[in-house]
Amino acid sequence: MGNQPYYHSTRGEERCSPKEAILKGIASDGGLFVWDDLDQMQLDLHTFLQLDYPGMVQTLFRRLLWDYSEEELAACAQAAYGDTFDDERITPLVFAGKQPVLELFHGPTSAFKDVALCMLPQLMSRALAGKDEKVMIVTATSGDTGKAALSGFQDAENIGITVFYPQGKVSAIQRLQMVTQPGRNVSVCAIEGNFDDAQSSVKALFQSEGARRLKEEEHIVLSSANSINIGRLIPQIVYYFAAYQQLLQQEKIQWGEEISFCVPTGNFGNVLAGYYAKLLGLPIRHLIVAANENKVLDDFLRTGIYDRNRSFHTTISPSMDILISSNLERMLYYMCGKDSEKIRGWMDELARVGRYQVDEETLQKIRNVFLSGHCDNAQTSLQIERVYRSCGYVMDPHTAVGSYVLEQLALTEPCVLLSTASPYKFTRDVLKALQVEAAADDFVCMEQLSELTKTSIPQGLYALKSMEERFSDVIEVTDMEAYVCAKAKEVLK
Ligand SMILES: *Cc1c(COP(=O)(O)O)cnc(C)c1O
């Protein structure tokens, strides 16, 4: 194997190259692709932190995505970050009072998913080049992935995309963002159910009869733009380093000093990328998993018992309304001694009875790095108001969950709060938190927030006002397979 990290499934032996892993999205045995040598390929921090953002992207990708050429990586970095973000630092570090906040929402759809989803289509197109194959991306969204993926994959050559979102469980602006999406290769559909229903069905779809026939008869393979795809995760590692770099530049920390990150968490993709940054040599002390009322991860990190048998709460931080947190599987893999058999056992139990318990040794290792907390709706609102009144910084409800949890923990080391969405995606709830009577119209709400807080409305969001709605399908979860197959044939003719 040498130094070349072949990827393999968390649940077994299935091995593939980075390009294959990106095209496949998920392993055939239902596991997620990981690479074992990650902690033995540390970056040289001194040289790495001298680079600008695209430079860090290329250097990191050269290691982890070794079957891409230097030219391909340069072109990917340019296309993804050249002029798509409204801040040249891509992920600027700002201060809310004394609290460092890494703003991840300066991309085209105003959510942190853009950082990865501007890149994934670039990686996927190049993995596909020269193959007699087309790809249908199937994505379940809790609100933000959908739009970021649609925007990233719009009109990509030989790639189609279908997005499923839970009917009535995304914000008005999030829905509008998706159903107005232009492009000849895109479809958007609501399902009767919640995000977990959508995600479980999407995962099952990859192993379905419909998928097999698409591949055989039409040379169309299904893939995923969810954070189960390593092409989604790897781009997210970079901004942890970018945060450290900016703290050094602003002389807030000493060289080599350990810092922590607080991450509003749902599917565990973002915070896992932080763990990967730690394995790659960034001096990270703690990673804080901040949950909303769907606090399955907080409970797990306290007790070692993962139990999804509980009621699902619809909250004001909808992108974190998740009870089956896919990427936890990858973290468990590293923490349990890279033991695929253990992982298979736990994931089987999760599928069968919705619950598993990890051994004490694994739990201790996890708790050495990961701390956690949770925040209910009322506390989230209060936190938005409190932070705004104390220092004039407006945060979205997801970021506010992180902010609340971080304050409860009262850590001694410096800790960066990751801000995962623009407050303008959740204007109504933010106005309410600030005790302002919100107008009936969502765009007037944006104007209200802008006037009140003297911040500007992201262009992409305000532009939705004059865009036509293109998609209105609503289907049962059981019809997703047929829907995807029909759309694949239609858009990838
Ligand atoms: C997706 C999302 C999250 C959760 O991120 P994960 O990687 O799924 O843990 C948090 N906040 C916002 C705004 C999101 O869109």
Side-chain angles (χ1 to χ4, degrees):
M1 252 204 281
N3 275 331
Q4 310 249 302
Y6 271 91
Y7 290 75
H8 74 90
S9 169
T10 41
R11 299 187 196 179
E13 297 298 307
E14 181 178 346
R15 250 174 46 130
C16 61
S17 75
K19 280 186 177 174
E20 287 165 340
I22 285 171
L23 282 181
K24 280 191 157 168
I26 186 168
S28 322
D29 58 12
L32 306 182
F33 290 115
V34 283
W35 62 107
D36 280 356
D37 298 340
L38 189 61
D39 46 358
Q40 287 142 45
M41 23 196 318
Q42 301 218 335
L43 294 158
D44 174 35
L45 269 195
H46 279 278
T47 43
F48 192 72
L49 293 178
Q50 302 289 324
L51 302 168
D52 62 6
Y53 201 97
M56 288 197 276
V57 170
Q58 280 180 67
T59 305
L60 180 73
F61 283 24
R62 200 178 295 137
R63 296 248 173 143
L64 306 183
L65 303 174
W66 45 265
D67 56 352
Y68 286 81
S69 71
E70 207 55 42
E71 294 71 38
E72 283 178 320
L73 292 181
C76 286
Q78 174 58 29
Y81 306 120
D83 56 3
T84 46
F85 282 65
D86 70 12
D87 190 298
E88 63 180 9
R89 292 165 293 177
I90 309 299
T91 56
L93 184 88
V94 302
F95 281 83
K98 288 208 167 81
Q99 175 60 53
V101 180
L102 190 72
E103 293 188 343
L104 303 177
F105 55 77
H106 288 268
T109 79
S110 305
F112 95 91
K113 308 289 198 296
D114 285 326
V115 182
L117 282 163
C118 282
M119 177 56 83
L120 180 66
Q122 302 300 327
L123 296 172
M124 206 173 264
S125 301
R126 285 165 182 90
L128 199 56
K131 288 195 147 189
D132 177 29
E133 239 172 39
K134 296 177 180 180
V135 174
M136 184 61 163
I137 304 289
V138 188
T139 288
T141 185
S142 54
D144 285 336
T145 296
K147 175 61 185 184
L150 289 163
S151 163
F153 282 103
Q154 177 188 338
D155 293 327
E157 195 94 22
N158 292 326
I159 303 180
I161 170 164
T162 305
V163 168
F164 294 107
Y165 70 93
Q167 167 84 330
K169 295 191 172 60
V170 301
S171 85
I173 296 294
Q174 285 178 316
R175 190 192 71 86
L176 258 189
Q177 281 188 296
M178 292 188 275
V179 300
T180 55
Q181 174 65 41
R184 57 177 160 68
N185 63 338
V186 302
S187 12
V188 177
C189 179
I191 58 126
E192 301 282 4
N194 60 37
F195 172 76
D196 290 313
D197 301 324
Q199 177 165 258
S200 300
S201 303
V202 165
K203 279 189 176 173
L205 243 167
F206 292 110
Q207 286 145 58
S208 69
E209 173 62 16
R212 198 191 58 75
R213 288 186 48 185
L214 273 182
K215 184 164 186 193
E216 208 147 274
E217 293 163 17
E218 316 278 339
H219 298 283
I220 296 173
V221 295
L222 300 185
S223 188
S224 167
N226 283 99
S227 52
I228 52 179
N229 193 317
I230 58 132
R232 256 284 299 270
L233 271 181
I234 293 172
Q236 296 184 12
I237 301 171
V238 178
Y239 51 70
Y240 285 88
F241 287 90
Y244 198 85
Q245 182 185 52
Q246 291 177 72
L247 282 172
L248 281 172
Q249 281 163 356
Q250 298 182 31
E251 298 182 352
K252 303 289 182 189
I253 55 169
Q254 306 283 321
W255 176 262
E257 186 174 349
E258 282 196 321
I259 67 168
S260 295
F261 286 89
C262 180
V263 189
T265 303
N267 222 356
F268 210 80
N270 199 356
V271 73
L272 180 75
Y275 181 58
Y276 282 6
K278 178 176 168 64
L279 293 181
L280 287 162
L282 190 66
I284 294 180
R285 180 63 198 98
H286 291 118
L287 290 161
I288 298 149
V289 172
N292 64 21
E293 290 171 20
N294 296 293
K295 59 184 182 60
V296 64
L297 283 169
D298 184 29
D299 290 344
F300 170 72
L301 291 166
R302 284 167 203 279
T303 62
I305 299 172
Y306 194 98
D307 190 352
R308 62 151 308 199
N309 302 307
R310 57 178 75 207
S311 33
F312 179 92
H313 299 276
T314 299
T315 72
I316 58 171
S317 45
S319 301
M320 296 158 64
D321 290 347
I322 293 176
L323 293 179
I324 306 179
S325 210
S326 292
N327 274 299
L328 188 65
E329 179 170 345
R330 283 189 166 110
M331 185 267 267
L332 290 175
Y333 176 80
Y334 289 102
M335 291 291 188
C336 77
K338 301 173 186 165
D339 184 343
S340 294
E341 209 173 298
K342 269 191 183 168
I343 298 291
R344 244 186 350 256
W346 292 331
M347 294 305 133
D348 279 353
E349 282 180 61
L350 182 64
R352 271 199 342 265
V353 295
R355 180 183 191 278
Y356 61 87
Q357 177 164 17
V358 300
D359 52 274
E360 193 56 33
E361 193 189 339
T362 302
L363 182 62
Q364 284 318 317
K365 268 198 191 158
I366 294 171
R367 287 168 54 112
N368 193 28
V369 180
F370 291 90
L371 304 178
S372 66
H374 70 272
C375 177
D376 69 21
N377 270 340
Q379 290 160 334
T380 307
S381 286
L382 276 174
Q383 187 68 9
I384 293 174
E385 187 187 17
R386 249 163 31 81
V387 172
Y388 180 68
R389 302 265 179 254
S390 74
C391 65
Y393 187 78
V394 204
M395 43 181 59
D396 98 292
H398 302 77
T399 310
V401 168
S403 172
Y404 177 87
V405 168
L406 180 52
E407 281 184 17
Q408 299 296 307
L409 287 175
L411 302 176
T412 50
E413 73 273 12
C415 184
V416 175
L417 171 63
L418 299 195
S419 176
T420 50
S422 159
Y424 286 93
K425 286 195 87 161
F426 306 94
T427 326
R428 192 169 294 282
D429 288 318
V430 172
L431 284 174
K432 209 164 131 197
L434 298 179
Q435 318 272 354
V436 175
E437 176 109 36
D441 180 277
D442 284 299
F443 298 96
V444 177
C445 286
M446 290 186 196
E447 290 162 14
Q448 284 178 292
L449 185 63
S450 178
E451 269 160 42
L452 176 72
T453 63
K454 309 281 177 278
T455 54
S456 42
I457 308 175
Q459 262 181 12
L461 295 183
Y462 201 72
L464 294 170
K465 189 176 173 170
S466 54
M467 287 173 75
E468 211 174 311
E469 297 195 20
R470 295 181 64 199
F471 303 99
S472 56
D473 290 347
V474 186
I475 63 170
E476 297 291 331
V477 174
T478 44
D479 294 330
M480 284 168 63
E481 183 180 333
Y483 190 89
V484 166
C485 293
K487 286 292 173 189
K489 288 183 202 166
E490 183 186 317
V491 306
L492 291 170
K493 270 199 297 282

